[in-house]
Amino acid sequence: MGGLHPGKDKTGGGKVTRKTYDVAVVGASLAGCTAARLFAERGLEVALIERRGNPDAHKALCTHFIQPSAVPTIERLDLRPLIEKSGAVRNGLEVWTRWGWIRPPRDVPHGYNIRRRTLDPILRHLAAETPGVELMPGWSAHALLEEDGRIAGVGVRDRAGRTVDIPARLVVAADGRSSKVAQLAGVPERVEPNGRVAYFAYYRDLPLASGTRSLMWMLEPDVAYAFPNDGGVTLLACMPARDRLSAFKDDPEGAFSDFFKGLPDGPSLGGAGRISRIMGTINLRNILRPAAYRGLALVGDAALWTDPLWGVGCGWAFQSAWWLVEETAGTLVGGGDLDRALARYRKKHRKSLYGHHRLICSFSRVRPYNPIERLMFSAAVHDERTARHFHAFGSRLIGVREFLAPGAIGRALWANARRGIGRSGGGPRPATAAARVDRQA
């Protein structure tokens, strides 16, 4: 792996200026490492800047669910054999609603479940070993360089207070939802509230009724998950409405355990081995920023942090980084208008993800299901074609317009009419902790 050598190319005053790179990527996680490797494979010199000094560092708060839409990027990176060798689980998703289980056929496209403690080091090593990539661990962005009114590099600082200027023709913000680079650039952001909170824990050798398929219980308005991962470790997560927060604060272990009692085909925690504490987060606000701004590109969570309820973050990190490279690498290699190339990337990002983001933001308000959701949820339980369509949308393989195409809506209406199912009907809900609180109130 490369490393920054502060003793080179001094310009005075304790500051160091390095050579000019083609691309400076700030953040060596999924999106940053993907961008760095793919840019370098196009013959570009890339500085990959990472504030954490440990090359095996990993993201802690994650569902570890990679959507099928990201598999082409994983293959393009030559990452697939590495993660499969490390135990990545080919995922599928079964969803319970009050109409029953939505179980897509086994032959639908799969993604991967793999813990970030396994995935992040693999991808970071892969990026760092790519000719043209210089990994700079232990340095964080503290300033942006400007030239002729546009961003022309990044100033970084280590824990000892040493500073280095990294000139670059393109700076990429891949530093997460609280992006320091976006703040330094004054990138506008749109923040929307989330009416749920999240708690999760890891269990080893926890049997699931679905085998290696992930499970999701949509409890109106609460949500629960079970994600089997590498190493025989399963992530259990629950996302109760915010008004249940006090119960989890008072007794997180009890509230977490109670949440999974009575779930249809739910896991039995009594004899399971929990290998982590109960972890929680109450800050799940949805954040949207333009994917390109003043000569700067944003990828992954820096551009779009969307409610983790739907497990889109990892997949969109991979995909957005590849889109950026596809739209800008040719210009960086052969010359041309970089701002025009960035505008293409911004348009591609918005066209591909904005509709999904808007629907997810709407659902995160903890509102009742709308008529279309009731229709599709109920029809997908009994109709294989609608279940396939539901899976394609939930896997982000199709967009909102295709999901809501007249033919798909007509098929769902026909499927329900054939079985005499009303759009708002359904069976009883499971007696979760939230439901018991309702009855007690």
Side-chain angles (χ1 to χ4, degrees), residues 290-301:
Y293 184 76
R294 294 182 60 229
L296 169 74
L298 294 85
V299 292
D301 289 348

Side-chain angles (χ1 to χ4, degrees), residues 165-182:
D165 284 347
I166 308 292
R169 292 194 285 157
L170 174 64
V171 175
V172 179
D175 52 342
R177 63 169 173 166
S178 300
S179 173
K180 177 67 172 179
V181 174

Side-chain angles (χ1 to χ4, degrees), residues 31 40 43 55 85 88 152 162 173 216 245 275 296 335 338 346 368 383 423:
K85 183 178 179 181
R162 295 174 296 177
M216 178 179 183
L245 179 58
I275 59 174
L296 169 74
L338 180 58
R346 177 173 172 171
D383 182 62
R423 286 179 297 173

Side-chain angles (χ1 to χ4, degrees), residues 92-111:
L93 181 64
E94 299 181 0
V95 180
W96 187 91
T97 72
R98 57 184 154 111
W99 294 276
W101 281 104
I102 301 173
R103 292 189 171 105
R106 293 281 173 174
D107 63 347
V108 296
H110 69 83

Side-chain angles (χ1 to χ4, degrees), residues 110-180:
H110 69 83
Y112 287 99
N113 287 1
I114 180 170
R115 290 174 296 167
R116 296 294 294 274
R117 67 182 302 166
T118 305
L119 173 60
D120 287 15
I122 292 174
L123 181 55
R124 192 172 295 117
H125 281 266
L126 184 64
E129 292 167 358
T130 306
V133 174
E134 183 175 358
L135 177 62
M136 302 176 178
W139 296 81
S140 58
H142 76 94
L144 291 175
L145 312 181
E146 293 196 19
E147 184 177 320
D148 298 328
R150 72 186 318 279
I151 293 170
V154 59
V156 298
R157 179 167 49 208
D158 70 0
R159 292 185 178 181
R162 295 174 296 177
T163 60
V164 178
D165 284 347
I166 308 292
R169 292 194 285 157
L170 174 64
V171 175
V172 179
D175 52 342
R177 63 169 173 166
S178 300
S179 173
K180 177 67 172 179

Side-chain angles (χ1 to χ4, degrees), residues 27 35 39 43 55 82 87 107 135 143 152 185 208 251-252 320 373 392 397 410:
F39 272 127
L82 298 177
D107 63 347
L135 177 62
L208 298 177
D251 180 14
S320 62
E373 289 164 345
L397 292 167

Side-chain angles (χ1 to χ4, degrees), residues 240-259:
R242 185 172 287 274
D243 58 11
R244 316 297 183 197
L245 179 58
S246 60
F248 280 83
K249 284 187 172 181
D250 293 342
D251 180 14
E253 295 199 4
F256 189 87
S257 178
D258 286 347
F259 201 98

